[in-house]
């Protein structure tokens, strides 16, 4: 199993540009999560999907952020326009339906975003 | 909203010494998980605790879930250089249906002095 795949691994862009981060979850997993990690705020959940449907987007910072999951094997997180304060590592994680509790989440390697 | 704090924020230990990190939630948790993140890496699941007062062991690691389900701890016996990383607890509140989102703790960064 290839695990959760994220692309790109690194992204450097200028303020005002559109940024699209991509995620391929583990095959057979039906939940997908987008997280953001910074030194100041730690690891924050942005949004999560169950069976391709957004369940909770309360962590999305503002309207500049949007996420989609058009099918079970692909999701995107878009920032438009980007700002320097969006610089962070963005992780995607996936999970299958747990038998108990919240269930193990499998994280991708992350995308390190730098907005100049 | 739910807040999960961990102490200490940083811990430096001599190789072979024990290490403990504590996790405290502002609300009662339905279950708690622990993750490890190596420097430059991504979080990796270690364990999940569901029952009040539950204790689980993985080799040198011992995990506890408090009786009130508002706190948890991770204890490592005789640390090794491979234990270096940041340890996060992550909790869910409310019902136990598996749809709950995780709230991650602030993390404890462990460094080992060889």
């Amino acid at each position: 199993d290839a695990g959760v795949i994220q692309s790109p691994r690194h992204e450097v862009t200028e303020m005002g540009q559109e940024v699209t981060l991509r995620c391929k979850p583990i095959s057979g997993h039906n939940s997908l999560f987008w997280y953001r990690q910074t030194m100041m705020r730690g690891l924050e959940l942005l949004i999560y999907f169950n069976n391709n449907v957004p369940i909770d987007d309360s962590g999305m910072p503002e309207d500049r952020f949007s996420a989609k999951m058009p099918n079970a094997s692909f999701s995107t997180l878009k920032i438009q326009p980007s700002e320097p304060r969006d610089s962070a590592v963005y992780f995607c994680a996936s999970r299958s339906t747990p038998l108990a509790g919240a269930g193990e989440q499998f994280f991708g390697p992350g995308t390190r975003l730098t907005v100049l | 909203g739910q807040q999960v704090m961990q102490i200490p924020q940083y811990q430096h230990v001599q190789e072979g010494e024990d290490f403990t990190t504590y996790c405290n939630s502002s609300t009662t948790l339905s279950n708690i998980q622990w993750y490890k993140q190596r420097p430059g890496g991504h979080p990796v699941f270690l364990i999940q605790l569901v029952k009040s007062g539950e204790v689980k062991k993985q080799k040198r690691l011992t995990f506890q879930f408090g009786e009130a389900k508002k706190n948890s701890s991770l204890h490592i016996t005789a640390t090794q250089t491979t234990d270096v990383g940041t340890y996060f607890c992550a909790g869910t509140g409310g019902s136990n249906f598996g749809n709950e989102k995780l709230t991650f703790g602030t993390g404890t960064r462990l460094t080992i002095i060889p």
Side-chain angles (χ1 to χ4, degrees):
Chain A
D1 195 335
V4 176
I5 298 172
Q6 290 187 248
S7 64
R9 294 292 308 275
H10 302 272
E11 177 81 25
V12 180
T13 190
E14 293 188 344
M15 182 175 62
Q17 296 297 307
E18 177 179 297
V19 175
T20 300
L21 311 181
R22 297 173 175 79
C23 175
K24 176 179 170 56
I26 292 173
S27 177
H29 284 189
N30 60 342
S31 297
L32 183 140
F33 306 81
W34 282 101
Y35 291 90
R36 178 174 67 176
Q37 186 173 40
T38 62
M39 287 295 293
M40 290 296 295
R41 301 178 66 89
L43 196 58
E44 306 172 277
L45 177 67
L46 301 177
I47 185 171
Y48 79 96
F49 298 82
N50 277 351
N51 298 312
N52 313 336
V53 176
I55 301 300
D56 188 330
D57 65 353
S58 60
M60 296 286 262
E62 48 198 271
D63 292 346
R64 296 184 299 105
F65 285 69
S66 62
K68 294 181 179 180
M69 191 164 185
N71 57 63
S73 59
F74 184 66
S75 177
T76 59
L77 178 67
K78 185 176 294 187
I79 308 173
Q80 166 64 14
S82 58
E83 297 182 2
R85 59 191 168 126
D86 301 330
S87 298
V89 179
Y90 291 81
F91 288 105
C92 173
S94 70
R95 180 199 70 186
S96 58
T97 301
L99 297 177
E104 176 180 357
Q105 291 188 17
F106 295 79
F107 282 74
T111 295
R112 182 173 295 277
L113 173 65
T114 302
V115 183
L116 303 174
Chain B
Q2 186 176 75
Q3 291 186 330
V4 181
M5 302 298 294
Q6 281 183 253
I7 55 171
Q9 187 175 2
Y10 301 95
Q11 186 78 61
H12 312 283
V13 300
Q14 290 275 352
E15 187 176 7
E17 290 183 342
D18 292 357
F19 159 77
T20 304
T21 173
Y22 299 91
C23 176
N24 293 286
S25 170
S26 59
T27 60
T28 301
L29 301 170
S30 60
N31 55 87
I32 195 159
Q33 299 180 358
W34 285 90
Y35 288 79
K36 176 184 178 181
Q37 184 176 21
R38 294 181 184 274
H42 57 275
V44 175
F45 176 85
L46 294 176
I47 207 159
Q48 176 174 270
L49 303 171
V50 178
K51 299 176 183 177
S52 170
E54 189 170 13
V55 178
K56 286 188 177 181
K57 293 189 176 183
Q58 289 179 350
K59 298 183 180 178
R60 295 178 295 105
L61 278 61
T62 302
F63 304 85
Q64 289 187 306
F65 199 8
E67 292 290 342
K69 301 185 79 172
K70 294 185 72 174
N71 57 75
S72 181
S73 65
L74 159 59
H75 179 81
I76 302 178
T77 303
T79 54
Q80 300 175 358
T81 55
T82 54
D83 296 326
V84 165
T86 301
Y87 292 84
F88 294 96
C89 62
T92 63
S95 63
N96 197 20
F97 297 134
N99 283 336
E100 301 298 318
K101 60 184 181 182
L102 289 175
T103 299
F104 276 79
T106 46
T108 296
R109 180 178 291 183
L110 173 65
T111 56
I112 307 289
I113 305 165

